[in-house]
């Protein structure tokens, strides 16, 4: 993954059969702040970490409503994410207009993937530098997809993208078998706990995360700070105490506040380019 | 060679009447539910009232296929607005959007005669009245459709001062209470039904207030 003579153009193959520009675009996703999605049979929860450029600024929006039954969380170049969200909204509205019925999330992600693929095969374009976790409903229930800059997409029971997402993925891998039959509340709790894993040491506060829910009888909406804080309070006691029995797993103790020393900034790197979050 | 004329028309008139009255903190929008073509009845139970936003309700008579298309366009535009601005459209904003949408088809118009009712940004009732190509005006009350010529003079008599020279100029909004306005609407439709063959069957009344929308259904003469 270092500079070489085959990585200038997206339309140049390397001798080993790789398109480096596309892979570099996927690196951009890894630099963004974490976003997590999980789903049960009837609900999808999308959550993300709110990181602001500085204390003076507001945090970037990383979760967007596409329609009552579809939401998307992004990681990477948020500007690219915004543009793609607008595309998804427009596709959804046009479908509703023509067919008087909601667009299935499965159909939407294919169009999104095709749009991303175009950028990997035109010399005057560049790949979108954003990964999208698309959660939504169709006739068969709730679904979660991950669309990446390469134009590939996969369906997941649960997934995490962005910086320090491996910690969240480890948590999700341990718990994912229970998600399909999970209740809405348990799903939300698991999402917030997965977010906590990515914070690695920082105390989890409701101001640090954004959570959104959508379900079979529940249009897409964001949870307000109070509701999030209430869920956090059920498992995050005063740092010195052990967590209470609300947990299924034997989690390590909630790290004391002192561990969060000077670890500010988006992905822990001081030199993250301003456009990347 | 004389100019050839079309032997069919893209338009049809499905009849019906729409009325709206603006109050100090409410708006009443009413329309009959008869849909007809020529001298035949297509439906006795067709709603001509459509909610566009929390505070804006559209009622249209004319060619219902065009009305339906117009409603769909406005609904999609409203969704886009909500995505961009994170809030619902206000009634005056919707009024302008409707005007622009109608004028957009200036040379093949929507055959729709609209009355838009709702609450303005201050919470007061507002009614906007349109022609087929988007000319519009905010008024205190309005009527459109086949019975409008029977209804409008009566509303003028009840709600408008006869001459600004004789009496002090009245506020555009009616001083009537909500119950009085609903009663007036029922009276007015009952009379229009008597003489207009295209108006009748049932009367659908929507009362828009800050806390929500109430709907009432009243029977009218079915002949």
């Amino acid at each position: 993954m270092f500079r070489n003579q085959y990585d200038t153009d997206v339309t140049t193959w390397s001798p080993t059969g790789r398109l480096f520009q596309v892979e570099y675009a996927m690196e951009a996703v890894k630099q963004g702040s974490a976003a997590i999605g999980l789903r049960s049979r009837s609900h999808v929860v999308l959550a993300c970490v709110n990181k602001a450029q500085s204390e003076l600024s507001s945090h970037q929006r990383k979760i967007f409503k596409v329609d009552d039954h579809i939401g998307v969380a992004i990681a990477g170049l948020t500007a690219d994410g915004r543009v793609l969200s607008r595309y998804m909204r427009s596709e959804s509205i046009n479908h509703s207009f023509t067919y008087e019925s909601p667009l299935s999330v499965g159909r939407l992600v294919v169009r999104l993937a095709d749009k991303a693929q175009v950028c990997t095969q035109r010399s005057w374009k560049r790949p979108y530098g954003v990964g999208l976790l698309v959660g939504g409903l169709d006739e068969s229930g709730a679904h979660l997809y991950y669309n990446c800059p390469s134009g590939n997409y996969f369906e997941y029971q649960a997934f995490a993208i962005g910086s320090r997402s491996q910690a969240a993925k480890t948590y999700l891998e341990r718990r994912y078998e229970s998600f399909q039959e999970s209740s809405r509340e348990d799903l939300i709790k698991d999402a917030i706990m997965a977010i906590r894993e990515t914070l690695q040491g920082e105390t989890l506060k409701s101001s640090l995360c954004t959570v959104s829910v959508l379900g079979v009888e529940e249009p897409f909406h964001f949870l307000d700070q109070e509701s999030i804080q209430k869920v956090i309070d059920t498992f995050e006691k005063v740092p010195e105490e052990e967590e209470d029995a609300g947990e299924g797993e034997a989690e390590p103790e909630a790290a004391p506040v002192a561990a969060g020393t000077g670890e500010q900034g988006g992905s822990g790197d001081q030199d993250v380019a301003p456009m990347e979050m | 060679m004389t100019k050839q004329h079309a032997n069919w028309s893209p338009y049809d008139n499905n009849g019906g009447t729409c009325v709206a009255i603006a109050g100090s903190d409410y708006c009443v929008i009413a329309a009959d539910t008869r849909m007809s073509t020529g001298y035949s009845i297509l439906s006795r139970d067709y709603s001509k009232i459509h909610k566009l936003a929390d505070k804006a309700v559209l009622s249209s008579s004319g060619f219902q296929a065009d009305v339906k298309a117009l409603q769909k366009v406005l609904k999609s535009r409203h969704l886009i607005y909500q995505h961009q601005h994170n809030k619902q459209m206000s009634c005056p904003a919707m009024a302008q959007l409707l005007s622009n949408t109608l004028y957009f088809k200036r040379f093949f118009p929507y055959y729709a005669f609209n009355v838009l009712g709702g609450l303005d940004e201050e919470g007061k009732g507002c009614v906007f009245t349109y022609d087929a190509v988007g000319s519009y005006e905010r008024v205190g009350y309005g009527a459109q459709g086949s019975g409008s010529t029977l209804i409008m003079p009566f509303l003028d008599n009840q709600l408008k001062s006869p001459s600004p020279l004789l009496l002090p100029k009245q506020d555009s909004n009616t001083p009537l209470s909500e119950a009085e306005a609903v009663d007036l609407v029922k009276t007015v439709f009952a009379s229009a039904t008597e003489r207009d063959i295209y108006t009748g069957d049932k009367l659908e009344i929507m009362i828009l207030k800050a806390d929500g929308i109430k709907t009432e259904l009243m029977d009218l003469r079915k002949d």
Side-chain angles (χ1 to χ4, degrees), chain A residues 95-234:
Chain A
H95 188 276
S96 292
F97 184 93
T98 313
Y99 300 104
E100 289 281 333
S101 78
L103 175 60
S104 293
V105 63
R107 302 272 155 84
L108 181 60
V109 293
V110 180
R111 290 196 218 166
L112 199 52
D114 288 347
K115 195 170 159 70
Q117 190 280 339
V118 168
C119 297
T120 68
Q121 216 175 3
R122 305 275 186 272
S123 60
W124 63 90
K125 288 186 179 242
R126 64 154 178 86
Y128 288 105
V130 64
L132 302 111
L133 281 171
V134 185
L137 304 176
D138 68 15
E139 308 81 40
S140 54
H143 298 269
L144 174 70
Y145 294 90
Y146 171 55
N147 279 66
C148 72
S150 62
N152 272 335
Y153 69 97
F154 303 96
E155 184 170 0
Y156 287 93
Q157 187 77 48
F159 201 49
I161 56 178
S163 72
R164 289 185 282 194
S165 57
Q166 189 49 55
K169 270 191 269 195
T170 314
Y171 174 81
L172 294 171
E173 273 163 28
R174 260 182 290 148
R175 304 260 308 143
Y176 79 95
E177 263 146 354
S178 65
F179 291 164
Q180 182 71 357
E181 304 303 330
S182 237
S183 72
R184 176 186 176 277
E185 285 62 37
D186 282 341
L187 210 63
I188 293 173
K189 190 155 103 171
D190 275 314
I192 296 178
M193 298 209 44
I195 286 280
R196 195 183 57 155
E197 298 297 311
T198 67
L199 293 172
Q200 269 168 15
E202 259 183 271
T203 347
L204 179 61
K205 290 189 294 250
S206 65
S207 56
L208 276 177
C209 54
T210 304
V211 183
S212 67
V213 188
L214 71 94
V216 169
E217 241 115 65
E218 193 180 344
F220 177 95
H221 65 101
F222 290 96
L223 294 184
D224 57 49
Q225 297 284 55
E226 281 173 44
S227 320
I228 301 177
Q229 193 59 50
K230 261 195 239 149
V231 177
I232 295 176
D233 290 339
T234 60

Side-chain angles (χ1 to χ4, degrees), chain A residues 65-67 89 93 97 100, chain B residues 69 72-73 76 79-80 83:
Chain A
K65 171 174 169 174
V66 170
D67 205 338
R89 286 171 176 168
I93 289 175
F97 184 93
E100 289 281 333
Chain B
K72 284 176 74 153
V73 167
S76 296
L79 257 180
I80 296 171
H83 280 140

Side-chain angles (χ1 to χ4, degrees), chain B residues 18-93:
Chain B
C18 308
V19 167
I21 301 179
S24 53
D25 65 345
Y26 65 88
C27 187
V28 177
I29 301 107
D32 71 318
T33 61
R34 173 175 288 178
M35 183 169 157
S36 46
T37 176
Y39 288 123
S40 308
I41 291 182
L42 291 172
S43 170
R44 294 190 188 276
D45 208 359
Y46 188 83
S47 173
K48 290 194 259 287
I49 308 182
H50 192 81
K51 177 182 151 188
L52 295 175
D54 278 350
K55 305 245 165 91
V57 174
L58 177 66
S59 181
S60 328
S61 76
F63 181 38
Q64 290 301 323
D66 274 357
V67 167
K68 187 86 188 175
L70 181 61
Q71 286 168 1
K72 284 176 74 153
V73 167
L74 292 172
K75 180 164 159 222
S76 296
R77 292 297 303 272
H78 188 222
L79 257 180
I80 296 171
Y81 182 97
Q82 283 179 83
H83 280 140
Q84 290 176 345
H85 298 90
N86 235 11
K87 63 170 188 166
Q88 298 245 335
M89 272 178 100
S90 65
C91 196

